């Protein structure tokens, strides 16, 4: 099961890298068109904004999976062991709640945004919000895995 999860994690990491590469390519194309061909692309800036939204919301769970978000170790170390365990579990539960909220609320916004067409790309504005929905779903996936791992580590549950 861990191998399957690692493949999913890797897929999201590749997606972020690919989106970034395309953003850079579109930016270079825009510079070339503007300064060499003297003709700006009407859609490039909007494409890059949409790409940045996707990158940010997909990178949040990647960073959480790697333990790279700011944490409260200074506070946690002052707790007795039972309170530290509860603190770790509570933090992971907050991440789960954030993933659920991000996924559901951004989906609701995307339903409204679908009625509006972006001026540059001429696609529904909901496409940008789908990055938030996808990031929220992946964050929920990562957070539940981390919650299970923290609970097993502290409470001595069985391992897969």
């Amino acid at each position: 099961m861990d191998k399957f999860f690692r493949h999913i994690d890797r897929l999201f990491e590749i997606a972020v890298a690919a989106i970034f590469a395309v953003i850079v390519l579109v930016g270079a194309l825009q510079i070339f068109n503007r300064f060499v061909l003297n003709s700006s692309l009407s859609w490039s800036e909007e494409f890059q904004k949409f790409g940045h939204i996707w990158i940010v919301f997909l990178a949040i769970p990647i960073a959480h999976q790697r333990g790279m978000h700011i944490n409260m170790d200074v506070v946690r170390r002052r707790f007795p062991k039972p309170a530290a365990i509860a603190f770790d579990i509570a933090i992971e539960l907050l991440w789960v709640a954030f993933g659920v909220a991000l996924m559901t609320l951004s989906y609701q916004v995307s339903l409204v945004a679908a009625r509006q067409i972006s001026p540059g790309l001429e696609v529904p504005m909901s496409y940008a919000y789908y990055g938030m929905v996808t990031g929220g779903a992946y964050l929920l996936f990562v957070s539940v895995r981390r919650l299970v791992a923290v609970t097993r580590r502290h409470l001595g549950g069985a391992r897969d």
Side-chain angles (χ1 to χ4, degrees), residues 2 39 104:
D2 284 341
S39 174
T104 57

Side-chain angles (χ1 to χ4, degrees), residues 32 34 46 56 64-65 88 108 122 126 131 138 140 146:
F32 177 79
R34 181 176 292 170
E46 190 170 85
V56 166
H64 182 53
Q65 173 63 26
D88 288 345
Q108 291 172 0
E122 298 178 358
S126 58
Y138 181 48
L140 178 61
R146 284 182 52 108

Side-chain angles (χ1 to χ4, degrees), residues 48-61:
Q48 290 175 329
K49 286 179 184 178
F50 279 28
H52 278 102
I53 292 168
W54 275 81
I55 286 174
V56 166
F57 286 97
L58 293 181
I60 290 170

Side-chain angles (χ1 to χ4, degrees), residues 48-121:
Q48 290 175 329
K49 286 179 184 178
F50 279 28
H52 278 102
I53 292 168
W54 275 81
I55 286 174
V56 166
F57 286 97
L58 293 181
I60 290 170
I62 290 171
H64 182 53
Q65 173 63 26
R66 295 179 179 187
M68 297 179 76
H69 284 290
I70 196 165
N71 58 36
M72 304 288 290
D73 280 345
V74 173
V75 174
R76 185 188 174 285
R77 283 189 220 136
R78 296 188 183 273
F79 292 152
K81 186 170 181 162
I85 293 169
F87 184 78
D88 288 345
I89 292 172
I91 293 296
E92 295 305 326
L93 285 171
L94 286 171
W95 276 104
V96 168
F98 178 58
V100 169
L102 180 61
M103 182 177 58
T104 57
L105 297 174
S106 58
Y107 177 71
Q108 291 172 0
V109 172
S110 76
L111 294 176
V112 174
R115 299 181 200 140
Q116 182 182 2
I117 301 298
S118 70
L121 292 171

